[in-house]
Amino acid sequence: AQSVSQHNHHVILSEAASLELGCNYSYGGTVNLFWYVQYPGQHLQLLLKYFSGDPLVKGIKGFEAEFIKSKFSFNLRKPSVQWSDTAEYFCAVTNDYKLSFGAGTTVTVRA
Amino acid sequence: EAGVAQSPRYKIIEKRQSVAFWCNPISGHATLYWYQQILGQGPKLLIQFQNNGVVDDSQLPKDRFSAERLKGVDSTLKIQPAKLEDSAVYLCASSLSDGGNEKLFFGSGTQLSVL
């Protein structure tokens, strides 16, 4: 069965620090990759997605993610976080049209 | 654009009772999903509809869970009877199609507590 692994359960950092969240998946075939974000009190929303082409994908709010096929990874990055980036971040992968989520990483940004 | 609507927002029941959740997807979205999110875990797909047909219900505990989308628009998810381990947030999402690369739009969820 396909699985999605997020390495960090909780990340705490200060404003202006750089952020990188790890995501690995187990399926070896063609996949579509997503990062979703859930801000406090809000619903899940799409941050960015990768289907094909340039493996470096840029999303909203200064986030980007890099697909490394050989490592089965799709790590999320942001060079300089803000307090408003405090949220829970979910990596998700589709194969055969079924979307599977990782367990999520809670990011807390201290002002 | 109106988002995905879910109700109720919260529900508290005792074990062995029944409960139902309602979802109205974004207008024009053919695909509707129900996810279960247990505290500390990522959302787990329970069932996926394409219009009024079931695409995937492989992770739906069919002995107690049921879902329908009779007219291909809104949907209900039912649990009968509920168990303690069913305590979770039940998320409804919709997308234009089920192409696998579609953006999902999520509702706010129904938080279920089974006592």
Side-chain angles (χ1 to χ4, degrees), chain A:
Chain A
Q2 179 174 306
S3 68
V4 183
S5 301
Q6 292 185 240
H7 312 304
N8 309 99
H9 182 65
H10 194 180
V11 173
I12 303 172
L13 59 168
S14 300
E15 277 192 311
S18 63
L19 172 70
E20 180 160 1
L21 303 181
C23 173
N24 286 90
Y25 59 94
S26 63
Y27 187 73
T30 301
V31 294
N32 298 314
L33 303 158
F34 306 80
W35 276 96
Y36 280 83
V37 61
Q38 188 167 24
Y39 297 104
Q42 298 186 26
H43 54 268
L44 273 164
Q45 56 188 288
L46 183 68
L47 199 55
L48 50 76
K49 60 185 180 181
Y50 171 81
F51 303 145
S52 63
D54 188 345
L56 185 62
V57 179
K58 295 191 183 299
I60 60 172
K61 303 187 180 185
F63 284 91
E64 64 179 31
E66 185 175 14
F67 170 50
I68 303 179
K69 189 174 181 178
S70 61
K71 295 184 177 180
F72 299 91
S73 70
F74 189 55
N75 292 355
L76 180 71
R77 297 193 292 254
K78 185 169 183 177
S80 176
V81 295
Q82 300 173 310
W83 176 81
S84 57
D85 293 323
T86 294
E88 190 157 18
Y89 294 79
F90 294 93
C91 181
V93 180
T94 58
N95 177 259
D96 289 340
Y97 313 124
K98 181 179 173 179
L99 185 66
S100 299
F101 284 85
T105 298
T106 301
V107 173
T108 302
V109 180
R110 292 176 172 163

